Amino acid sequence: MRRDEFAIEDPKEIEDFLNGMSFGFLGTVDEHGLPRVTPLNFVYVQGSFYFHGSRLGEKMEHLRRTPAVSFTVADEYALIPSYFSDPEMACPATAYFKSVTAAGEAILVDDLEEKALAMEAMMRKLQPEGGYRTIDAGDRAYASRLKGVAVIKLVPKRMSAKFKFGQNLKPDRLQDMIGRLEERGQSRDGETAAHICKYYPGPR
């Protein structure tokens, strides 16, 4: 990561972010050695990423041929216009965001208990209100479905997190940025201002 001030090392911060997100981008390699990115839902359980889908298709062919993958999750909080910093130059325009990138080998899960754990965690994330029968490997109603679905596991060999919220700003610019966001008042500006205060490394 080029800017160390944006790096996040706290495992709980990273896990909380991943648990709050449901969508990411899986990078694979096709038969010609070219990269491909697939958007898909995910769940993060006990330090591993899980994905699901059909056993057929290009994504599965790529994974069987080349199991090395990357996976990225990102959430953009606010676009920061250049005129917040400079009345003329475009250079200061930026965005404040959180992102996590992981890399490792994709494993096709065969164990029904692990499949059930992953799929139940996925349902709790995507349908927290309930309204469905708990996914249990011992439930005969789910047995054939668990056998038929492809569940992919990624245990990261490398993972990095970048939360960019003005940690590089000087104290006077920090206060000015917070004021401008509060004045603008777009949907996530208040949340962004709170994150600026949370992640700023120095005295204010």
Side-chain angles (χ1 to χ4, degrees):
M1 184 177 296
R2 190 170 62 87
R3 299 294 295 265
D4 290 340
E5 64 265 36
F6 302 139
I8 298 294
E9 304 290 345
D10 183 353
K12 187 176 185 308
E13 286 272 358
I14 295 171
E15 185 171 4
D16 287 347
F17 168 63
L18 292 173
N19 287 341
M21 301 294 291
S22 62
F23 209 72
F25 298 88
L26 181 68
T28 57
V29 178
D30 71 13
E31 64 274 19
H32 305 294
L34 297 175
R36 168 184 167 159
V37 175
T38 303
L40 73 181
N41 293 116
F42 78 97
V43 69
Y44 185 69
V45 180
Q46 299 176 358
S48 297
F49 294 90
Y50 288 91
F51 323 101
H52 77 290
S54 170
R55 289 182 171 274
L56 304 175
E58 290 185 359
K59 178 177 81 251
M60 295 306 299
E61 290 176 9
H62 297 171
L63 293 175
R64 291 187 180 99
R65 186 182 298 108
T66 308
V69 300
S70 66
F71 185 66
T72 295
V73 183
D75 189 13
E76 184 178 74
Y77 281 72
L79 293 174
I80 307 300
S82 61
Y83 53 78
F84 273 19
S85 302
D86 191 293
E88 295 182 355
M89 300 299 291
C91 305
T94 189
Y96 287 170
F97 63 90
K98 294 182 181 181
S99 69
V100 169
T101 297
E105 282 198 1
I107 302 166
L108 191 61
V109 178
D110 291 320
D111 182 76
L112 293 187
E113 293 284 349
E114 188 174 2
K115 278 189 170 186
L117 180 147
M119 296 306 298
E120 175 63 19
M122 184 81 73
M123 284 299 298
R124 287 199 303 269
K125 173 180 276 193
L126 300 179
Q127 194 171 306
E129 72 276 15
Y132 66 93
R133 183 169 172 169
T134 300
I135 300 174
D136 185 334
D139 186 338
R140 289 186 178 181
Y142 278 122
S144 63
R145 291 170 172 82
L146 287 171
K147 289 177 182 177
V149 70
V151 174
I152 302 155
K153 179 180 182 179
L154 168 60
V155 182
K157 291 184 177 179
R158 184 176 69 252
M159 187 159 72
S160 62
K162 181 177 182 179
F163 293 8
K164 181 180 178 181
F165 290 96
Q167 295 95 317
N168 58 325
L169 298 178
K170 294 180 179 179
D172 58 335
R173 285 285 303 115
L174 175 85
Q175 295 301 330
D176 183 60
M177 182 64 68
I178 291 172
R180 286 180 176 272
L181 287 168
E182 291 175 345
E183 181 181 4
R184 185 173 69 174
Q186 292 183 358
S187 61
R188 300 188 77 179
D189 283 351
E191 187 180 5
T192 303
H195 279 339
I196 291 174
C197 295
K198 177 180 179 179
Y199 293 112
Y200 191 71
R204 297 187 290 277

